[in-house]
Amino acid sequence: MKYFIFLVLTKVLFSQTTAYEKFQKYVQSPNGCVLWIEYYQSYLDKKRVSSGVFYAKEKMYIYDNIEQYIRYEDGFITTINKSNKQVVYDLINKTDVTIFDILIGNNKSIYLENPIIENNQIQIPFSIEIWGIKGSIW
């Protein structure tokens, strides 16, 4: 019985790593990758839904949607607000956590939970304690 429990726990832990590692392998592909991202956020009574395209090539990452264009490269973020034509340049501190950290696998403050298989999709829940949030990658 002890061996069975050990095998089940090993399988669960391995599958969690494998799902996220496969996602990271795709994002970090030498040929680059393109993902369609749907972003859902709720805080108190407010809900925000956004979608756009994420591009990754080598160490440069771009998220582009109807409202904004965000480029992340070498610790610098350039954000273009398309509606008011504002450009913001930002340097990321080593202690900061960004959405790009989740997508590119910088796990310094990101805690992965056990994956859930639902409707032939793998959901990888995560939490970021520094922000006090929980989310999922599907």
Side-chain angles (χ1 to χ4, degrees), residues 23 26-27 33-41 49-56 61-66 68 70 99-100 102-104 126 136-138:
F23 174 73
Y26 176 72
V27 171
C33 83
V34 178
L35 299 170
W36 178 258
I37 294 179
E38 293 182 8
Y39 173 79
Y40 302 91
Q41 177 183 352
V49 178
S50 178
S51 59
V53 181
F54 172 76
Y55 305 92
Y61 309 96
I62 295 172
Y63 176 72
D64 190 22
N65 68 17
I66 196 165
Q68 61 189 349
I70 304 169
I99 189 71
F100 293 105
I102 298 165
L103 297 173
I104 65 177
F126 64 87
S136 296
I137 298 172
W138 286 83

PDB file of all heavy atoms in Angstrom, residues 23 26-27 33-41 49-56 61-66 68 70 99-100 102-104 126 136-138:
ATOM      1  N   PHE A  23       4.572  23.491 -21.400  1.00  0.00           N
ATOM      2  CA  PHE A  23       4.154  24.844 -21.748  1.00  0.00           C
ATOM      3  C   PHE A  23       5.385  25.737 -21.913  1.00  0.00           C
ATOM      4  O   PHE A  23       5.507  26.479 -22.879  1.00  0.00           O
ATOM      5  CB  PHE A  23       3.206  25.389 -20.677  1.00  0.00           C
ATOM      6  CG  PHE A  23       2.828  26.822 -20.877  1.00  0.00           C
ATOM      7  CD1 PHE A  23       1.947  27.192 -21.881  1.00  0.00           C
ATOM      8  CD2 PHE A  23       3.366  27.815 -20.071  1.00  0.00           C
ATOM      9  CE1 PHE A  23       1.598  28.521 -22.071  1.00  0.00           C
ATOM     10  CE2 PHE A  23       3.027  29.146 -20.243  1.00  0.00           C
ATOM     11  CZ  PHE A  23       2.142  29.496 -21.260  1.00  0.00           C
ATOM     12  N   TYR A  26       7.331  25.078 -25.064  1.00  0.00           N
ATOM     13  CA  TYR A  26       6.690  25.695 -26.221  1.00  0.00           C
ATOM     14  C   TYR A  26       6.979  27.198 -26.274  1.00  0.00           C
ATOM     15  O   TYR A  26       7.346  27.733 -27.308  1.00  0.00           O
ATOM     16  CB  TYR A  26       5.176  25.450 -26.194  1.00  0.00           C
ATOM     17  CG  TYR A  26       4.455  26.140 -27.320  1.00  0.00           C
ATOM     18  CD1 TYR A  26       4.564  25.682 -28.625  1.00  0.00           C
ATOM     19  CD2 TYR A  26       3.685  27.270 -27.088  1.00  0.00           C
ATOM     20  CE1 TYR A  26       3.919  26.319 -29.671  1.00  0.00           C
ATOM     21  CE2 TYR A  26       3.040  27.923 -28.129  1.00  0.00           C
ATOM     22  CZ  TYR A  26       3.159  27.437 -29.413  1.00  0.00           C
ATOM     23  OH  TYR A  26       2.526  28.093 -30.439  1.00  0.00           O
ATOM     24  N   VAL A  27       6.839  27.883 -25.146  1.00  0.00           N
ATOM     25  CA  VAL A  27       7.077  29.329 -25.100  1.00  0.00           C
ATOM     26  C   VAL A  27       8.534  29.648 -25.425  1.00  0.00           C
ATOM     27  O   VAL A  27       8.822  30.624 -26.109  1.00  0.00           O
ATOM     28  CB  VAL A  27       6.684  29.918 -23.724  1.00  0.00           C
ATOM     29  CG1 VAL A  27       7.129  31.363 -23.582  1.00  0.00           C
ATOM     30  CG2 VAL A  27       5.184  29.815 -23.518  1.00  0.00           C
ATOM     31  N   CYS A  33       7.180  31.553 -30.478  1.00  0.00           N
ATOM     32  CA  CYS A  33       5.815  31.037 -30.349  1.00  0.00           C
ATOM     33  C   CYS A  33       4.828  32.188 -30.394  1.00  0.00           C
ATOM     34  O   CYS A  33       5.183  33.343 -30.167  1.00  0.00           O
ATOM     35  CB  CYS A  33       5.633  30.229 -29.065  1.00  0.00           C
ATOM     36  SG  CYS A  33       5.309  31.208 -27.593  1.00  0.00           S
ATOM     37  N   VAL A  34       3.609  31.851 -30.706  1.00  0.00           N
ATOM     38  CA  VAL A  34       2.508  32.804 -30.710  1.00  0.00           C
ATOM     39  C   VAL A  34       1.361  32.156 -29.948  1.00  0.00           C
ATOM     40  O   VAL A  34       0.987  31.019 -30.236  1.00  0.00           O
ATOM     41  CB  VAL A  34       2.068  33.159 -32.148  1.00  0.00           C
ATOM     42  CG1 VAL A  34       0.881  34.105 -32.126  1.00  0.00           C
ATOM     43  CG2 VAL A  34       3.225  33.743 -32.947  1.00  0.00           C
ATOM     44  N   LEU A  35       0.813  32.872 -28.984  1.00  0.00           N
ATOM     45  CA  LEU A  35      -0.315  32.377 -28.191  1.00  0.00           C
ATOM     46  C   LEU A  35      -1.436  33.406 -28.200  1.00  0.00           C
ATOM     47  O   LEU A  35      -1.181  34.602 -28.107  1.00  0.00           O
ATOM     48  CB  LEU A  35       0.090  32.160 -26.729  1.00  0.00           C
ATOM     49  CG  LEU A  35       1.185  31.178 -26.406  1.00  0.00           C
ATOM     50  CD1 LEU A  35       1.576  31.307 -24.936  1.00  0.00           C
ATOM     51  CD2 LEU A  35       0.719  29.768 -26.677  1.00  0.00           C
ATOM     52  N   TRP A  36      -2.658  32.943 -28.280  1.00  0.00           N
ATOM     53  CA  TRP A  36      -3.821  33.790 -28.065  1.00  0.00           C
ATOM     54  C   TRP A  36      -4.134  33.711 -26.578  1.00  0.00           C
ATOM     55  O   TRP A  36      -4.319  32.628 -26.029  1.00  0.00           O
ATOM     56  CB  TRP A  36      -5.010  33.326 -28.896  1.00  0.00           C
ATOM     57  CG  TRP A  36      -6.232  34.149 -28.657  1.00  0.00           C
ATOM     58  CD1 TRP A  36      -7.302  33.805 -27.886  1.00  0.00           C
ATOM     59  CD2 TRP A  36      -6.506  35.450 -29.156  1.00  0.00           C
ATOM     60  NE1 TRP A  36      -8.228  34.809 -27.880  1.00  0.00           N
ATOM     61  CE2 TRP A  36      -7.762  35.845 -28.661  1.00  0.00           C
ATOM     62  CE3 TRP A  36      -5.817  36.334 -29.974  1.00  0.00           C
ATOM     63  CZ2 TRP A  36      -8.334  37.068 -28.954  1.00  0.00           C
ATOM     64  CZ3 TRP A  36      -6.392  37.548 -30.270  1.00  0.00           C
ATOM     65  CH2 TRP A  36      -7.643  37.899 -29.768  1.00  0.00           C
ATOM     66  N   ILE A  37      -4.152  34.845 -25.907  1.00  0.00           N
ATOM     67  CA  ILE A  37      -4.370  34.869 -24.463  1.00  0.00           C
ATOM     68  C   ILE A  37      -5.698  35.527 -24.153  1.00  0.00           C
ATOM     69  O   ILE A  37      -5.993  36.610 -24.651  1.00  0.00           O
ATOM     70  CB  ILE A  37      -3.235  35.637 -23.751  1.00  0.00           C
ATOM     71  CG1 ILE A  37      -1.927  34.878 -23.919  1.00  0.00           C
ATOM     72  CG2 ILE A  37      -3.559  35.845 -22.283  1.00  0.00           C
ATOM     73  CD1 ILE A  37      -0.749  35.562 -23.278  1.00  0.00           C
ATOM     74  N   GLU A  38      -6.495  34.849 -23.326  1.00  0.00           N
ATOM     75  CA  GLU A  38      -7.707  35.436 -22.770  1.00  0.00           C
ATOM     76  C   GLU A  38      -7.428  35.640 -21.291  1.00  0.00           C
ATOM     77  O   GLU A  38      -7.076  34.710 -20.590  1.00  0.00           O
ATOM     78  CB  GLU A  38      -8.903  34.531 -22.992  1.00  0.00           C
ATOM     79  CG  GLU A  38      -9.271  34.422 -24.450  1.00  0.00           C
ATOM     80  CD  GLU A  38     -10.492  33.561 -24.692  1.00  0.00           C
ATOM     81  OE1 GLU A  38     -11.156  33.151 -23.719  1.00  0.00           O
ATOM     82  OE2 GLU A  38     -10.763  33.284 -25.860  1.00  0.00           O
ATOM     83  N   TYR A  39      -7.581  36.856 -20.854  1.00  0.00           N
ATOM     84  CA  TYR A  39      -7.214  37.254 -19.506  1.00  0.00           C
ATOM     85  C   TYR A  39      -8.480  37.645 -18.762  1.00  0.00           C
ATOM     86  O   TYR A  39      -9.228  38.505 -19.216  1.00  0.00           O
ATOM     87  CB  TYR A  39      -6.242  38.438 -19.620  1.00  0.00           C
ATOM     88  CG  TYR A  39      -5.883  39.103 -18.335  1.00  0.00           C
ATOM     89  CD1 TYR A  39      -4.950  38.549 -17.475  1.00  0.00           C
ATOM     90  CD2 TYR A  39      -6.454  40.323 -17.979  1.00  0.00           C
ATOM     91  CE1 TYR A  39      -4.599  39.182 -16.298  1.00  0.00           C
ATOM     92  CE2 TYR A  39      -6.105  40.964 -16.810  1.00  0.00           C
ATOM     93  CZ  TYR A  39      -5.182  40.391 -15.972  1.00  0.00           C
ATOM     94  OH  TYR A  39      -4.840  41.015 -14.812  1.00  0.00           O
ATOM     95  N   TYR A  40      -8.730  36.961 -17.647  1.00  0.00           N
ATOM     96  CA  TYR A  40      -9.900  37.260 -16.813  1.00  0.00           C
ATOM     97  C   TYR A  40      -9.398  37.680 -15.438  1.00  0.00           C
ATOM     98  O   TYR A  40      -8.567  37.017 -14.849  1.00  0.00           O
ATOM     99  CB  TYR A  40     -10.779  36.023 -16.649  1.00  0.00           C
ATOM    100  CG  TYR A  40     -11.266  35.450 -17.942  1.00  0.00           C
ATOM    101  CD1 TYR A  40     -10.551  34.467 -18.613  1.00  0.00           C
ATOM    102  CD2 TYR A  40     -12.456  35.896 -18.507  1.00  0.00           C
ATOM    103  CE1 TYR A  40     -10.990  33.943 -19.803  1.00  0.00           C
ATOM    104  CE2 TYR A  40     -12.906  35.369 -19.712  1.00  0.00           C
ATOM    105  CZ  TYR A  40     -12.173  34.399 -20.348  1.00  0.00           C
ATOM    106  OH  TYR A  40     -12.613  33.885 -21.537  1.00  0.00           O
ATOM    107  N   GLN A  41      -9.935  38.770 -14.944  1.00  0.00           N
ATOM    108  CA  GLN A  41      -9.548  39.248 -13.625  1.00  0.00           C
ATOM    109  C   GLN A  41     -10.791  39.697 -12.881  1.00  0.00           C
ATOM    110  O   GLN A  41     -11.649  40.375 -13.438  1.00  0.00           O
ATOM    111  CB  GLN A  41      -8.572  40.423 -13.761  1.00  0.00           C
ATOM    112  CG  GLN A  41      -8.170  41.024 -12.448  1.00  0.00           C
ATOM    113  CD  GLN A  41      -7.258  42.237 -12.632  1.00  0.00           C
ATOM    114  OE1 GLN A  41      -6.815  42.532 -13.721  1.00  0.00           O
ATOM    115  NE2 GLN A  41      -6.992  42.934 -11.556  1.00  0.00           N
ATOM    116  N   VAL A  49     -12.086  41.638 -18.511  1.00  0.00           N
ATOM    117  CA  VAL A  49     -11.802  40.605 -19.494  1.00  0.00           C
ATOM    118  C   VAL A  49     -11.028  41.263 -20.619  1.00  0.00           C
ATOM    119  O   VAL A  49     -11.388  42.340 -21.088  1.00  0.00           O
ATOM    120  CB  VAL A  49     -13.102  39.968 -20.042  1.00  0.00           C
ATOM    121  CG1 VAL A  49     -12.789  38.932 -21.104  1.00  0.00           C
ATOM    122  CG2 VAL A  49     -13.914  39.359 -18.914  1.00  0.00           C
ATOM    123  N   SER A  50      -9.959  40.628 -21.007  1.00  0.00           N
ATOM    124  CA  SER A  50      -9.139  41.150 -22.082  1.00  0.00           C
ATOM    125  C   SER A  50      -8.581  39.976 -22.863  1.00  0.00           C
ATOM    126  O   SER A  50      -8.404  38.887 -22.323  1.00  0.00           O
ATOM    127  CB  SER A  50      -7.992  41.987 -21.499  1.00  0.00           C
ATOM    128  OG  SER A  50      -7.160  42.460 -22.524  1.00  0.00           O
ATOM    129  N   SER A  51      -8.300  40.178 -24.116  1.00  0.00           N
ATOM    130  CA  SER A  51      -7.669  39.135 -24.914  1.00  0.00           C
ATOM    131  C   SER A  51      -6.718  39.789 -25.903  1.00  0.00           C
ATOM    132  O   SER A  51      -6.883  40.942 -26.282  1.00  0.00           O
ATOM    133  CB  SER A  51      -8.715  38.294 -25.631  1.00  0.00           C
ATOM    134  OG  SER A  51      -9.503  39.105 -26.463  1.00  0.00           O
ATOM    135  N   GLY A  52      -5.709  39.030 -26.262  1.00  0.00           N
ATOM    136  CA  GLY A  52      -4.720  39.545 -27.195  1.00  0.00           C
ATOM    137  C   GLY A  52      -3.747  38.464 -27.592  1.00  0.00           C
ATOM    138  O   GLY A  52      -3.902  37.293 -27.246  1.00  0.00           O
ATOM    139  N   VAL A  53      -2.723  38.864 -28.302  1.00  0.00           N
ATOM    140  CA  VAL A  53      -1.738  37.931 -28.828  1.00  0.00           C
ATOM    141  C   VAL A  53      -0.428  38.104 -28.072  1.00  0.00           C
ATOM    142  O   VAL A  53       0.021  39.230 -27.837  1.00  0.00           O
ATOM    143  CB  VAL A  53      -1.513  38.164 -30.339  1.00  0.00           C
ATOM    144  CG1 VAL A  53      -0.502  37.186 -30.897  1.00  0.00           C
ATOM    145  CG2 VAL A  53      -2.820  38.056 -31.094  1.00  0.00           C
ATOM    146  N   PHE A  54       0.161  36.989 -27.694  1.00  0.00           N
ATOM    147  CA  PHE A  54       1.459  36.962 -27.027  1.00  0.00           C
ATOM    148  C   PHE A  54       2.469  36.371 -27.996  1.00  0.00           C
ATOM    149  O   PHE A  54       2.253  35.304 -28.549  1.00  0.00           O
ATOM    150  CB  PHE A  54       1.375  36.106 -25.757  1.00  0.00           C
ATOM    151  CG  PHE A  54       2.696  35.853 -25.096  1.00  0.00           C
ATOM    152  CD1 PHE A  54       3.318  36.837 -24.348  1.00  0.00           C
ATOM    153  CD2 PHE A  54       3.314  34.613 -25.206  1.00  0.00           C
ATOM    154  CE1 PHE A  54       4.528  36.589 -23.719  1.00  0.00           C
ATOM    155  CE2 PHE A  54       4.518  34.359 -24.577  1.00  0.00           C
ATOM    156  CZ  PHE A  54       5.130  35.350 -23.835  1.00  0.00           C
ATOM    157  N   TYR A  55       3.545  37.101 -28.222  1.00  0.00           N
ATOM    158  CA  TYR A  55       4.629  36.651 -29.094  1.00  0.00           C
ATOM    159  C   TYR A  55       5.884  36.463 -28.248  1.00  0.00           C
ATOM    160  O   TYR A  55       6.189  37.310 -27.412  1.00  0.00           O
ATOM    161  CB  TYR A  55       4.956  37.693 -30.166  1.00  0.00           C
ATOM    162  CG  TYR A  55       3.799  38.126 -31.018  1.00  0.00           C
ATOM    163  CD1 TYR A  55       3.033  39.234 -30.673  1.00  0.00           C
ATOM    164  CD2 TYR A  55       3.483  37.441 -32.185  1.00  0.00           C
ATOM    165  CE1 TYR A  55       1.976  39.648 -31.462  1.00  0.00           C
ATOM    166  CE2 TYR A  55       2.424  37.844 -32.982  1.00  0.00           C
ATOM    167  CZ  TYR A  55       1.671  38.942 -32.613  1.00  0.00           C
ATOM    168  OH  TYR A  55       0.626  39.350 -33.393  1.00  0.00           O
ATOM    169  N   ALA A  56       6.608  35.383 -28.479  1.00  0.00           N
ATOM    170  CA  ALA A  56       7.878  35.159 -27.797  1.00  0.00           C
ATOM    171  C   ALA A  56       8.920  34.742 -28.821  1.00  0.00           C
ATOM    172  O   ALA A  56       8.662  33.895 -29.673  1.00  0.00           O
ATOM    173  CB  ALA A  56       7.735  34.068 -26.747  1.00  0.00           C
ATOM    174  N   TYR A  61       9.559  39.416 -25.492  1.00  0.00           N
ATOM    175  CA  TYR A  61       8.164  39.000 -25.361  1.00  0.00           C
ATOM    176  C   TYR A  61       7.260  40.194 -25.615  1.00  0.00           C
ATOM    177  O   TYR A  61       7.522  41.289 -25.131  1.00  0.00           O
ATOM    178  CB  TYR A  61       7.921  38.435 -23.951  1.00  0.00           C
ATOM    179  CG  TYR A  61       8.942  37.391 -23.593  1.00  0.00           C
ATOM    180  CD1 TYR A  61      10.068  37.721 -22.845  1.00  0.00           C
ATOM    181  CD2 TYR A  61       8.803  36.082 -24.040  1.00  0.00           C
ATOM    182  CE1 TYR A  61      11.028  36.774 -22.538  1.00  0.00           C
ATOM    183  CE2 TYR A  61       9.761  35.128 -23.735  1.00  0.00           C
ATOM    184  CZ  TYR A  61      10.866  35.482 -22.990  1.00  0.00           C
ATOM    185  OH  TYR A  61      11.819  34.546 -22.694  1.00  0.00           O
ATOM    186  N   ILE A  62       6.192  39.954 -26.353  1.00  0.00           N
ATOM    187  CA  ILE A  62       5.253  41.024 -26.686  1.00  0.00           C
ATOM    188  C   ILE A  62       3.836  40.536 -26.401  1.00  0.00           C
ATOM    189  O   ILE A  62       3.483  39.405 -26.742  1.00  0.00           O
ATOM    190  CB  ILE A  62       5.369  41.417 -28.180  1.00  0.00           C
ATOM    191  CG1 ILE A  62       6.741  42.027 -28.461  1.00  0.00           C
ATOM    192  CG2 ILE A  62       4.251  42.378 -28.579  1.00  0.00           C
ATOM    193  CD1 ILE A  62       7.017  42.261 -29.930  1.00  0.00           C
ATOM    194  N   TYR A  63       3.052  41.400 -25.786  1.00  0.00           N
ATOM    195  CA  TYR A  63       1.612  41.171 -25.647  1.00  0.00           C
ATOM    196  C   TYR A  63       0.920  42.347 -26.324  1.00  0.00           C
ATOM    197  O   TYR A  63       1.210  43.506 -26.038  1.00  0.00           O
ATOM    198  CB  TYR A  63       1.195  41.089 -24.173  1.00  0.00           C
ATOM    199  CG  TYR A  63      -0.296  40.944 -24.017  1.00  0.00           C
ATOM    200  CD1 TYR A  63      -0.934  39.753 -24.348  1.00  0.00           C
ATOM    201  CD2 TYR A  63      -1.070  41.995 -23.566  1.00  0.00           C
ATOM    202  CE1 TYR A  63      -2.309  39.622 -24.223  1.00  0.00           C
ATOM    203  CE2 TYR A  63      -2.437  41.877 -23.434  1.00  0.00           C
ATOM    204  CZ  TYR A  63      -3.051  40.684 -23.763  1.00  0.00           C
ATOM    205  OH  TYR A  63      -4.405  40.560 -23.650  1.00  0.00           O
ATOM    206  N   ASP A  64       0.010  42.042 -27.235  1.00  0.00           N
ATOM    207  CA  ASP A  64      -0.654  43.085 -28.017  1.00  0.00           C
ATOM    208  C   ASP A  64      -2.157  42.815 -28.045  1.00  0.00           C
ATOM    209  O   ASP A  64      -2.589  41.706 -28.351  1.00  0.00           O
ATOM    210  CB  ASP A  64      -0.083  43.080 -29.447  1.00  0.00           C
ATOM    211  CG  ASP A  64      -0.536  44.273 -30.270  1.00  0.00           C
ATOM    212  OD1 ASP A  64      -0.930  45.302 -29.696  1.00  0.00           O
ATOM    213  OD2 ASP A  64      -0.488  44.164 -31.510  1.00  0.00           O
ATOM    214  N   ASN A  65      -2.933  43.837 -27.682  1.00  0.00           N
ATOM    215  CA  ASN A  65      -4.385  43.737 -27.814  1.00  0.00           C
ATOM    216  C   ASN A  65      -4.924  45.078 -28.302  1.00  0.00           C
ATOM    217  O   ASN A  65      -4.171  45.982 -28.630  1.00  0.00           O
ATOM    218  CB  ASN A  65      -5.047  43.263 -26.507  1.00  0.00           C
ATOM    219  CG  ASN A  65      -4.958  44.263 -25.383  1.00  0.00           C
ATOM    220  OD1 ASN A  65      -4.692  45.439 -25.562  1.00  0.00           O
ATOM    221  ND2 ASN A  65      -5.201  43.785 -24.173  1.00  0.00           N
ATOM    222  N   ILE A  66      -6.217  45.223 -28.315  1.00  0.00           N
ATOM    223  CA  ILE A  66      -6.842  46.428 -28.852  1.00  0.00           C
ATOM    224  C   ILE A  66      -6.513  47.676 -28.028  1.00  0.00           C
ATOM    225  O   ILE A  66      -6.475  48.783 -28.546  1.00  0.00           O
ATOM    226  CB  ILE A  66      -8.368  46.229 -28.994  1.00  0.00           C
ATOM    227  CG1 ILE A  66      -8.950  47.287 -29.899  1.00  0.00           C
ATOM    228  CG2 ILE A  66      -9.039  46.194 -27.647  1.00  0.00           C
ATOM    229  CD1 ILE A  66     -10.338  46.953 -30.381  1.00  0.00           C
ATOM    230  N   GLN A  68      -3.646  47.988 -25.733  1.00  0.00           N
ATOM    231  CA  GLN A  68      -2.255  48.270 -25.423  1.00  0.00           C
ATOM    232  C   GLN A  68      -1.292  47.309 -26.119  1.00  0.00           C
ATOM    233  O   GLN A  68      -1.673  46.224 -26.545  1.00  0.00           O
ATOM    234  CB  GLN A  68      -2.016  48.224 -23.922  1.00  0.00           C
ATOM    235  CG  GLN A  68      -2.318  46.875 -23.302  1.00  0.00           C
ATOM    236  CD  GLN A  68      -2.278  46.924 -21.792  1.00  0.00           C
ATOM    237  OE1 GLN A  68      -1.835  47.889 -21.200  1.00  0.00           O
ATOM    238  NE2 GLN A  68      -2.732  45.873 -21.153  1.00  0.00           N
ATOM    239  N   ILE A  70       2.554  45.766 -25.201  1.00  0.00           N
ATOM    240  CA  ILE A  70       3.548  45.660 -24.133  1.00  0.00           C
ATOM    241  C   ILE A  70       4.709  44.819 -24.648  1.00  0.00           C
ATOM    242  O   ILE A  70       4.515  43.700 -25.114  1.00  0.00           O
ATOM    243  CB  ILE A  70       2.961  45.002 -22.871  1.00  0.00           C
ATOM    244  CG1 ILE A  70       1.733  45.764 -22.383  1.00  0.00           C
ATOM    245  CG2 ILE A  70       4.017  44.917 -21.776  1.00  0.00           C
ATOM    246  CD1 ILE A  70       0.962  45.030 -21.305  1.00  0.00           C
ATOM    247  N   ILE A  99       3.295  39.435 -15.319  1.00  0.00           N
ATOM    248  CA  ILE A  99       2.600  38.379 -16.063  1.00  0.00           C
ATOM    249  C   ILE A  99       3.579  37.627 -16.948  1.00  0.00           C
ATOM    250  O   ILE A  99       3.436  36.440 -17.200  1.00  0.00           O
ATOM    251  CB  ILE A  99       1.407  38.961 -16.879  1.00  0.00           C
ATOM    252  CG1 ILE A  99       0.548  37.848 -17.473  1.00  0.00           C
ATOM    253  CG2 ILE A  99       1.905  39.880 -17.973  1.00  0.00           C
ATOM    254  CD1 ILE A  99      -0.256  37.105 -16.485  1.00  0.00           C
ATOM    255  N   PHE A 100       4.621  38.314 -17.397  1.00  0.00           N
ATOM    256  CA  PHE A 100       5.628  37.655 -18.225  1.00  0.00           C
ATOM    257  C   PHE A 100       6.375  36.583 -17.447  1.00  0.00           C
ATOM    258  O   PHE A 100       6.787  35.574 -18.023  1.00  0.00           O
ATOM    259  CB  PHE A 100       6.601  38.684 -18.810  1.00  0.00           C
ATOM    260  CG  PHE A 100       5.940  39.607 -19.791  1.00  0.00           C
ATOM    261  CD1 PHE A 100       5.639  40.906 -19.437  1.00  0.00           C
ATOM    262  CD2 PHE A 100       5.613  39.177 -21.068  1.00  0.00           C
ATOM    263  CE1 PHE A 100       5.019  41.760 -20.336  1.00  0.00           C
ATOM    264  CE2 PHE A 100       4.989  40.017 -21.965  1.00  0.00           C
ATOM    265  CZ  PHE A 100       4.686  41.314 -21.603  1.00  0.00           C
ATOM    266  N   ILE A 102       5.105  34.522 -15.336  1.00  0.00           N
ATOM    267  CA  ILE A 102       4.260  33.335 -15.401  1.00  0.00           C
ATOM    268  C   ILE A 102       4.411  32.663 -16.757  1.00  0.00           C
ATOM    269  O   ILE A 102       4.575  31.448 -16.856  1.00  0.00           O
ATOM    270  CB  ILE A 102       2.785  33.703 -15.158  1.00  0.00           C
ATOM    271  CG1 ILE A 102       2.613  34.298 -13.767  1.00  0.00           C
ATOM    272  CG2 ILE A 102       1.876  32.495 -15.361  1.00  0.00           C
ATOM    273  CD1 ILE A 102       1.301  35.005 -13.555  1.00  0.00           C
ATOM    274  N   LEU A 103       4.393  33.457 -17.805  1.00  0.00           N
ATOM    275  CA  LEU A 103       4.437  32.910 -19.161  1.00  0.00           C
ATOM    276  C   LEU A 103       5.814  32.365 -19.540  1.00  0.00           C
ATOM    277  O   LEU A 103       5.901  31.375 -20.259  1.00  0.00           O
ATOM    278  CB  LEU A 103       3.996  33.974 -20.170  1.00  0.00           C
ATOM    279  CG  LEU A 103       2.556  34.444 -20.022  1.00  0.00           C
ATOM    280  CD1 LEU A 103       2.277  35.616 -20.952  1.00  0.00           C
ATOM    281  CD2 LEU A 103       1.587  33.301 -20.301  1.00  0.00           C
ATOM    282  N   ILE A 104       6.880  32.999 -19.079  1.00  0.00           N
ATOM    283  CA  ILE A 104       8.216  32.580 -19.504  1.00  0.00           C
ATOM    284  C   ILE A 104       8.905  31.663 -18.498  1.00  0.00           C
ATOM    285  O   ILE A 104      10.002  31.187 -18.753  1.00  0.00           O
ATOM    286  CB  ILE A 104       9.118  33.783 -19.839  1.00  0.00           C
ATOM    287  CG1 ILE A 104       9.411  34.640 -18.610  1.00  0.00           C
ATOM    288  CG2 ILE A 104       8.503  34.613 -20.948  1.00  0.00           C
ATOM    289  CD1 ILE A 104      10.364  35.801 -18.867  1.00  0.00           C
ATOM    290  N   PHE A 126      -1.999  28.390 -10.197  1.00  0.00           N
ATOM    291  CA  PHE A 126      -0.816  28.980  -9.586  1.00  0.00           C
ATOM    292  C   PHE A 126      -1.257  30.055  -8.611  1.00  0.00           C
ATOM    293  O   PHE A 126      -2.384  30.527  -8.639  1.00  0.00           O
ATOM    294  CB  PHE A 126       0.136  29.574 -10.644  1.00  0.00           C
ATOM    295  CG  PHE A 126      -0.449  30.727 -11.407  1.00  0.00           C
ATOM    296  CD1 PHE A 126      -0.346  32.029 -10.931  1.00  0.00           C
ATOM    297  CD2 PHE A 126      -1.108  30.515 -12.608  1.00  0.00           C
ATOM    298  CE1 PHE A 126      -0.896  33.088 -11.635  1.00  0.00           C
ATOM    299  CE2 PHE A 126      -1.659  31.574 -13.317  1.00  0.00           C
ATOM    300  CZ  PHE A 126      -1.545  32.862 -12.837  1.00  0.00           C
ATOM    301  N   SER A 136      -4.838  30.638 -13.165  1.00  0.00           N
ATOM    302  CA  SER A 136      -4.641  29.367 -13.859  1.00  0.00           C
ATOM    303  C   SER A 136      -4.172  29.620 -15.272  1.00  0.00           C
ATOM    304  O   SER A 136      -4.541  30.598 -15.900  1.00  0.00           O
ATOM    305  CB  SER A 136      -5.970  28.582 -13.943  1.00  0.00           C
ATOM    306  OG  SER A 136      -6.416  28.226 -12.669  1.00  0.00           O
ATOM    307  N   ILE A 137      -3.365  28.705 -15.736  1.00  0.00           N
ATOM    308  CA  ILE A 137      -2.999  28.659 -17.155  1.00  0.00           C
ATOM    309  C   ILE A 137      -3.754  27.470 -17.727  1.00  0.00           C
ATOM    310  O   ILE A 137      -3.714  26.371 -17.179  1.00  0.00           O
ATOM    311  CB  ILE A 137      -1.476  28.428 -17.329  1.00  0.00           C
ATOM    312  CG1 ILE A 137      -0.695  29.580 -16.714  1.00  0.00           C
ATOM    313  CG2 ILE A 137      -1.137  28.251 -18.801  1.00  0.00           C
ATOM    314  CD1 ILE A 137       0.795  29.339 -16.661  1.00  0.00           C
ATOM    315  N   TRP A 138      -4.446  27.663 -18.835  1.00  0.00           N
ATOM    316  CA  TRP A 138      -5.170  26.576 -19.493  1.00  0.00           C
ATOM    317  C   TRP A 138      -4.448  26.222 -20.761  1.00  0.00           C
ATOM    318  O   TRP A 138      -4.054  27.060 -21.518  1.00  0.00           O
ATOM    319  CB  TRP A 138      -6.585  27.019 -19.853  1.00  0.00           C
ATOM    320  CG  TRP A 138      -7.483  27.100 -18.659  1.00  0.00           C
ATOM    321  CD1 TRP A 138      -7.596  28.124 -17.790  1.00  0.00           C
ATOM    322  CD2 TRP A 138      -8.407  26.108 -18.209  1.00  0.00           C
ATOM    323  NE1 TRP A 138      -8.527  27.850 -16.827  1.00  0.00           N
ATOM    324  CE2 TRP A 138      -9.051  26.622 -17.069  1.00  0.00           C
ATOM    325  CE3 TRP A 138      -8.747  24.844 -18.663  1.00  0.00           C
ATOM    326  CZ2 TRP A 138     -10.020  25.902 -16.370  1.00  0.00           C
ATOM    327  CZ3 TRP A 138      -9.707  24.149 -17.974  1.00  0.00           C
ATOM    328  CH2 TRP A 138     -10.328  24.659 -16.839  1.00  0.00           C
TER     329      TRP A 138
END
